[in-house]
């Protein structure tokens, strides 16, 4: 099995951990921003890629779109189907190898999803392929200098360097980088900075939330082993140095582009 296949299988397992529905709820405002960016969607064919439990898919279907959603994780697809019912067609699929005909969608959306693929250029080429010329792609990505980036940096000392090379999810949070990737196959690229509230009554409440609802943090907790408590304590200090309520604004990029 090649390096990419190994990473894909690892991601499929990891994204099935925890109860993602709680995290999806907190991320919903970003999906609302995506939908507002591409409105109107009524009657249009919309694809939600790396959809999680389908925030963007659900919103698009509510507005009358013909929606297909896909995710790598069987658990996400199961939860998404239960959430949206027959209004959304769900597929278990890798964003780097979409089992969909060329030119079959007017809009493609991805809310903090496609940013986790191992090969961004491959995924973006797939998205360009399934969009009609003039179709719109819109996605969200955590900035590489915001709250989520600082949380990621705080975790790095607890794990050895990754044995695989290539961009990580925060590479999508660099405006110059994402513009460069999109320049192959897309035009009229727009990048806006937005924020998402990351609020908890206490650092301990934040940790409890991550342990229950964030697949990445569940997996990292397992990997950290005996150091898991130290790792989460580090996150708590970063989020609230004085130990009071967590009141952070997580910055992200709202990116849109038109298929050439």
């Amino acid at each position: 099995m090649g390096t990419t296949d190994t990473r894909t299988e690892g991601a499929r397992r990891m994204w099935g951990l925890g109860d993602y529905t709680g995290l999806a709820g907190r991320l919903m405002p970003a999906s609302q921003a995506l939908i507002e960016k591409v409105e109107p969607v009524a009657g249009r064919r919309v694809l939600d890629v790396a959809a999680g439990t389908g925030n963007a898919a659900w919103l698009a279907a509510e507005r009358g779109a013909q929606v297909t959603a896909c995710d790598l994780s069987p658990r996400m697809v199961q939860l998404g189907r239960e959430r949206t019912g027959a209004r959304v067609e769900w597929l278990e699929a890798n964003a780097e190898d979409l089992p969909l005909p060329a030119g079959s969608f007017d809009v493609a959306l991805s809310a903090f999803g496609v940013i986790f693929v191992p090969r961004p250029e491959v995924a973006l080429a797939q998205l360009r392929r399934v969009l009609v010329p003039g179709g719109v792609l819109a996605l969200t990505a955590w900035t590489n200098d915001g709250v989520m980036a600082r949380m990621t940096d705080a975790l790095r000392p607890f794990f050895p360097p990754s044995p695989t090379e290539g961009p990580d999810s925060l590479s999508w949070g660099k405006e110059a980088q994402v513009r460069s990737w999109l320049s192959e196959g897309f035009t009229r690229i727009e990048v806006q900075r937005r924020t998402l509230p990351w609020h908890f009554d206490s650092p301990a409440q934040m940790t409890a939330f991550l342990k229950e609802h964030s697949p990445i943090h569940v997996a990292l907790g397992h990997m950290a082993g005996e150091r898991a408590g130290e790792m989460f304590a580090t996150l708590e200090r970063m989020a609230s140095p004085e130990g009071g309520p967590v009141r952070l604004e997580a910055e992200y990029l709202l990116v849109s582009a038109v298929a050439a």
Side-chain angles (χ1 to χ4, degrees), residues 3 18 25 29 37-39 43 53 68 72 76 110 137 141 145 175 190 235 237-238 246 250:
T3 298
K37 184 66 180 176
V38 300
E39 284 280 29
T53 56
T68 299
L72 183 69
M76 294 293 191
S110 189
L137 168 65
D145 56 358
E175 182 173 345
E190 297 182 9
L235 286 182
R237 287 193 298 273
M238 190 227 77
V246 176

Side-chain angles (χ1 to χ4, degrees), residues 84-103:
T84 65
R87 291 184 301 173
V88 174
E89 178 186 5
W90 280 87
L91 302 172
E92 184 181 325
N94 188 340
E96 294 184 355
D97 186 20
L98 295 172
L100 298 163

Side-chain angles (χ1 to χ4, degrees), residues 124-183:
L124 289 173
Q126 283 289 296
L127 289 169
R128 171 62 192 89
R129 180 183 66 80
V130 301
L131 281 170
V132 296
V136 179
L137 168 65
L139 62 91
T140 57
W142 301 117
T143 61
N144 70 316
D145 56 358
V147 168
M148 294 306 178
R150 295 199 299 274
M151 291 182 73
T152 299
D153 288 341
L155 296 174
R156 296 190 195 280
F158 294 90
F159 306 97
S162 172
T164 58
E165 297 182 358
D168 61 18
S169 63
L170 292 176
S171 298
W172 291 80
K174 302 174 183 176
E175 182 173 345
Q177 178 63 82
V178 77
R179 284 183 178 276
S180 175
W181 284 332
L182 286 167
S183 65

